[in-house]
C-alpha cells in the first residue's frame, strides 16, 4: 500500500471517528433492548399492575380448569368402534 493510499485511509477513519464522537455527544445511540430490564424496580404502581395482571391470569386458569371437568360427548369415530 502506497503512502498516499495509507494517508487517504487515515483521513477516512478520522472522519468516521469524528462522526461517532459527535453522535455520542448528541445522545444518539443504537437501541439496546436490555437497557429496559429493571426499569420499574421499586415502582409501586408497576408492582400493583403486575399483581392485578397475575390475578386475572390465575382467574382465567381456574375458569379453564372448570370447563375441562365437564364430560365430553363421544365422537362419532369412537361410537362406531
Amino acid at each position: 500500500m502506497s503512502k498516499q493510499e495509507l494517508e487517504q485511509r487515515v483521513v477516512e477513519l478520522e472522519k468516521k471517528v469524528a462522526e461517532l464522537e459527535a453522535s455520542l455527544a448528541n445522545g444518539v445511540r443504537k437501541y439496546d433492548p436490555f437497557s429496559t430490564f429493571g426499569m420499574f424496580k421499586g415502582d409501586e404502581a408497576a408492582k400493583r399492575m403486575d399483581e392485578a395482571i397475575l390475578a386475572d391470569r390465575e382467574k382465567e386458569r381456574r375458569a379453564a380448569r372448570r370447563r375441562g371437568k365437564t364430560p365430553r360427548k363421544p365422537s362419532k369415530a369412537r361410537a362406531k368402534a
Side-chain angles (χ1 to χ4, degrees):
M1 184 179 289
S2 71
K3 185 176 179 179
Q4 186 178 7
E5 290 173 337
L6 189 58
E7 287 177 358
Q8 182 62 31
R9 276 189 79 184
V10 169
V11 168
E12 289 173 9
L13 287 172
E14 287 175 343
K15 275 186 186 178
K16 287 182 182 182
V17 168
E19 288 172 5
L20 288 171
E21 287 176 341
S23 70
L24 289 174
N26 294 334
V28 178
R29 63 182 185 148
K30 186 177 177 181
Y31 174 69
D32 179 18
F34 297 106
S35 66
T36 59
F37 289 130
M39 177 185 277
F40 297 108
K41 187 175 183 178
D43 185 3
E44 200 58 38
K47 184 178 178 181
R48 286 192 309 256
M49 187 170 54
D50 286 341
E51 289 170 355
I53 290 168
L54 290 175
D56 285 345
R57 287 181 182 171
E58 187 57 35
K59 183 180 171 184
E60 290 173 358
R61 284 187 195 107
R62 278 190 240 118
R65 287 184 197 124
R66 273 186 258 128
R67 280 193 302 256
K69 298 210 183 220
T70 59
R72 294 184 177 187
K73 294 179 185 177
S75 68
K76 291 180 181 179
R78 286 188 148 212
K80 291 180 183 178

